[in-house]
Amino acid sequence: MINIGLAGWSDHDLGGSKGKLMSYGAHFPLVEVDTSFYAIQPERNYAKWVQETPENFGFIIKAYQGMTGHLRGENPFAGGADQMFEAFLQSIRPVQEAGKLKAVLFQYPPWFACNKASVDVIREAKARMGDVPLALEFRHQSWFTEDMRDKTLSFMKREGWMHSICDEPQAGIGSVPIVLEATHSDMTMVRFHGRNVGGWVQTNEANWRDVRYLYDYNPQELLEWKVRLLRLQEQTREICIIFNNNSGGHAAGNAKTLMSMLDLDYEGLAPRQLDLF
């Protein structure tokens, strides 16, 4: 099973339905909630989103930045990590109870290198999250060097992490190669970040974040991924694909093209509505 979706639903032009989750659900069976990275969302938000999506719709929820080491400054939770993780778990309960949670994605930062301290951090996060399905994405190249690649994958398999495979610019130590291997039999993620090498590394430019994911995958690149995905299907029950190349508005079009290449026709999507204005 291959499910394809986008990072967020408010920034995509889907034929007059921009910004509406109910309309988004007429096009894709899956979405990545990225607002959860910047702030732990109120539980009522998730309850609303569950109501606005079809029965078989799925959510990937990004872990809050304080849970992955991205947070700059003081932790806003007076009770520290205990309170922070507890608040996050409480917030996503409506999605879990509705059976719509595919995974919580722990995306660690580009400076999160492969060492004993980092392994301990990952183990602690897994323990705090209990039986919630978890996906793991690295940004530091040291996890997948020639001498560490197999060890990293074996660790993820033993610890019960789903692999979030990246297609991203190869821009030095703060990026990882495509590692086409599942670490969990239930599910594997693939996230398309684009291949904008020049815009990947953080700069002092005011619009850096606006151009980082500026990339339009061409048909040949997507055809190469069709072959990879068919191979990956042999290792895992479900593949959840997220297009994160949002900067130029290319994500939705690229996702639709890949769906067509894979002959995917999802049943049970929300009915499409005609916008008059």
Side-chain angles (χ1 to χ4, degrees):
M1 178 191 309
I2 299 178
N3 286 312
I4 298 179
L6 313 177
W9 59 85
S10 61
D11 296 331
H12 309 288
D13 187 353
L14 296 170
S17 57
K18 188 174 181 178
K20 300 177 182 178
L21 180 55
M22 284 189 288
S23 298
Y24 172 97
H27 296 266
F28 300 104
L30 175 72
V31 76
E32 179 180 297
V33 179
D34 49 9
T35 52
S36 54
F37 173 80
Y38 301 100
I40 293 179
Q41 299 297 300
E43 190 174 348
R44 65 178 181 276
N45 285 6
Y46 288 110
K48 177 175 179 287
W49 298 335
V50 164
Q51 291 297 317
E52 290 179 347
T53 50
E55 183 177 352
N56 58 353
F57 192 86
F59 290 88
I60 303 286
I61 302 176
K62 279 192 80 172
Y64 172 59
Q65 59 183 327
M67 297 158 62
T68 55
H70 288 85
L71 186 65
R72 304 296 178 93
E74 294 185 8
N75 188 333
F77 292 90
D82 288 342
Q83 184 185 10
M84 177 173 59
F85 273 82
E86 183 179 342
F88 184 88
L89 287 168
Q90 179 67 28
S91 74
I92 68 173
R93 276 183 56 192
V95 187
Q96 281 185 281
E97 292 173 354
K100 293 186 175 185
L101 179 63
K102 294 293 186 181
V104 172
L105 170 64
F106 277 72
Q107 180 196 69
Y108 286 97
W111 55 87
F112 190 76
C114 181
N115 53 49
K116 178 64 165 59
S118 295
V119 169
D120 289 343
V121 168
I122 295 170
R123 282 191 168 132
E124 181 180 348
K126 185 72 167 62
R128 289 182 181 277
M129 295 298 291
D131 60 356
V132 174
L134 302 177
L136 180 58
E137 179 172 318
F138 294 113
R139 283 282 171 88
H140 197 281
Q141 205 173 77
S142 59
W143 295 93
F144 293 119
T145 57
E146 185 175 350
D147 60 329
M148 289 306 300
R149 179 187 184 277
D150 290 343
K151 294 178 182 178
T152 295
L153 294 168
S154 294
F155 165 73
M156 293 170 69
K157 290 174 183 177
R158 288 196 311 271
E159 301 287 325
W161 289 91
M162 301 172 186
H163 188 191
S164 177
I165 299 168
C166 298
D167 184 301
E168 65 188 30
Q170 297 306 290
I173 198 70
S175 58
V176 296
I178 296 171
V179 178
L180 202 72
E181 186 162 338
T183 58
H184 201 291
S185 59
D186 286 347
M187 197 187 96
T188 302
M189 284 190 67
V190 177
R191 297 179 79 228
F192 286 84
H193 298 301
R195 300 178 182 179
N196 184 0
V197 177
W200 187 248
V201 179
Q202 185 169 358
T203 67
N204 294 324
E205 297 293 328
N207 68 336
W208 170 71
R209 290 190 179 279
D210 295 332
V211 301
R212 188 180 195 198
Y213 300 103
L214 181 61
Y215 193 78
D216 185 9
Y217 285 91
N218 64 48
Q220 182 57 41
E221 291 166 338
L222 294 176
L223 278 172
E224 290 169 0
W225 263 105
K226 174 184 177 179
V227 175
R228 293 186 181 115
L229 292 167
L230 294 177
R231 283 166 42 203
L232 189 62
Q233 266 192 307
E234 299 173 1
Q235 305 177 32
T236 189
R237 180 180 61 82
E238 181 178 4
I239 302 173
C240 287
I241 298 170
I242 294 293
F243 279 84
N244 190 37
N245 54 326
N246 295 340
S247 296
H250 300 116
N254 289 166
K256 295 267 188 173
T257 298
L258 184 59
M259 286 166 58
S260 178
M261 288 178 176
L262 291 166
D263 295 320
L264 295 175
D265 185 16
Y266 298 111
E267 296 182 359
L269 297 181
R272 298 199 180 180
Q273 300 176 1
L274 297 176
D275 290 345
L276 296 179
F277 302 100

